[in-house]
Amino acid sequence: MKLSRAFGIFLIIFGVLYLGFQLLYKTGFIEHRLFQLWPLSTLTLGILFELIYILTRRNPGFLIPGGILVVIGTLHMFEVLTHWRFAALTWPAYVLAPAFGLFQYSVATKKKEPLVASFVLLIIGLFLAFIALRPLFFTFVDYETAFAGLIILLGLVILVSSFGKK
């Protein structure tokens, strides 16, 4: 019953937002029609997956696609609103999206395996973000130096995590 109520409320909110966007476009307050804001569908689906778990506290597996779709939908919304000017810099978020979903799942289930996978994806995503953003901030660091730093960082993580084991 909770799920059908949540879905009904979701449809009402979506309808009100859709109507509001149409009115704002027709009066000239915004320059995008709602169908131009297609990322809302991805974001909305992700939020729906998240709500399914939040309202029922069952099936934490819904948090994985929910987290992925929320991150990707938010990224796409940003890209559409900025006319894709920053796409060359934001692409590492595609690697970070599954890390977010796996992290949520790990927190909900208290399982360590998804947390490890999330951490690995986070490290890869941050390294890719460094590569994407390097021309803006780090013109003195080349890729070989960054790769060596990543190997050292990974070694430190493994070393520190080994101290906690018996």
Side-chain angles (χ1 to χ4, degrees):
M1 193 61 165
K2 282 184 183 179
L3 205 51
S4 62
R5 285 185 190 155
F7 189 64
I9 291 169
F10 169 77
L11 287 177
I12 291 169
I13 292 171
F14 185 76
V16 168
L17 288 175
Y18 185 80
L19 179 62
F21 267 104
Q22 294 304 316
L23 293 173
L24 289 172
Y25 175 76
K26 289 179 181 180
T27 57
F29 283 105
I30 60 173
E31 62 181 68
H32 294 287
R33 295 187 72 105
L34 190 60
F35 67 85
Q36 292 170 313
L37 301 176
W38 57 267
L40 279 177
S41 61
T42 308
L43 184 58
T44 303
L45 188 59
I47 291 170
L48 191 58
F49 276 120
E50 301 275 338
L51 282 175
I52 288 172
Y53 173 72
I54 290 169
L55 293 174
T56 64
R57 291 292 179 200
R58 285 181 276 149
N59 303 321
F62 280 114
L63 292 173
I64 297 172
I68 292 169
L69 291 173
V70 164
V71 171
I72 290 176
T74 303
L75 173 66
H76 283 162
M77 181 59 71
F78 172 78
E79 296 295 0
V80 166
L81 292 175
T82 60
H83 304 288
W84 295 87
R85 284 185 295 227
F86 302 100
L89 302 174
T90 60
W91 61 267
Y94 292 108
V95 176
L96 296 173
F100 184 69
L102 287 168
F103 177 76
Q104 289 185 120
Y105 177 77
S106 176
V107 169
T109 62
K110 296 179 178 40
K111 292 182 180 179
K112 294 192 188 226
E113 295 83 7
L115 186 61
V116 171
S118 175
F119 183 72
V120 168
L121 287 171
L122 176 67
I123 294 295
I124 293 169
L126 291 176
F127 181 70
L128 294 174
F130 171 79
I131 290 171
L133 298 172
R134 189 184 71 80
L136 295 177
F137 303 108
F138 306 105
T139 56
F140 58 91
V141 177
D142 59 4
Y143 294 116
E144 289 82 12
T145 307
F147 186 68
L150 180 67
I151 292 171
I152 293 168
L153 180 64
L154 184 60
L156 285 171
V157 167
I158 291 170
L159 182 65
V160 169
S161 68
S162 71
F163 286 119
K165 297 179 182 177
K166 293 183 179 180

